Amino acid sequence: QVQLVESGGGLTQAGGSLRLSCVVSGDSMSTYGMGWFRQAPGKERESVADVTWSAGIPYYVDSVKGRFTISRDNVKNTVWLQMNSLKPDDTAVYYCAASHLGRATRVGSVDYWGKGTLVTVSS
């Protein structure tokens, strides 16, 4: 049973930074595309960033490019999302996601989800 556990969410002011972590257990992370999604109240879950399993190439949604950085360590079975220059619009529950031999970039392509961690950015 693969489990994903997020941590690092919290409350910060606009312009601040947070670093989210996601630890994977139950399988090696090396064959999983890993991603971060977010869901704001009343909105659909959206992909924020993902990193491929084969070459470790990162991808970002336009709204976070230049501010967020996704990284992974297959030895530690951990993926991170460094979030800088946070804005109130970034307020959401952030979910870690894993896609076996694929990309965790669409809700339909995700095999495993974490339970989420809340990020709140005040203005």
Side-chain angles (χ1 to χ4, degrees):
Q1 181 77 14
V2 176
Q3 291 187 322
L4 284 62
V5 179
E6 305 99 335
S7 62
L11 172 65
T12 188
Q13 292 184 331
S17 299
L18 287 172
R19 189 189 195 205
L20 306 184
S21 301
C22 172
V23 178
V24 179
S25 62
D27 198 357
S28 170
M29 198 179 74
S30 62
T31 57
Y32 288 84
M34 300 299 299
W36 288 94
F37 288 70
R38 67 185 180 188
Q39 188 166 19
K43 294 187 177 181
E44 294 186 351
R45 192 171 297 190
E46 64 169 351
S47 173
V48 174
D50 76 285
V51 57
T52 62
W53 67 271
S54 54
I57 299 173
Y59 294 90
Y60 303 94
V61 68
D62 286 346
S63 60
V64 307
K65 282 181 180 177
R67 301 189 298 123
F68 290 11
T69 302
I70 188 171
S71 58
R72 65 185 294 159
D73 185 326
N74 290 339
V75 174
K76 295 181 178 179
N77 255 25
T78 302
V79 60
W80 296 272
L81 184 69
Q82 177 67 43
M83 306 185 294
N84 299 328
S85 302
L86 283 162
K87 305 174 182 180
D89 284 349
D90 295 319
T91 295
V93 177
Y94 283 71
Y95 297 90
C96 182
S99 174
H100 189 236
L101 299 177
R103 282 188 59 190
T105 189
R106 295 180 298 106
V107 170
S109 67
V110 173
D111 296 305
Y112 300 101
W113 294 97
K115 292 184 178 180
T117 184
L118 176 63
V119 171
T120 304
V121 184
S122 64
S123 57

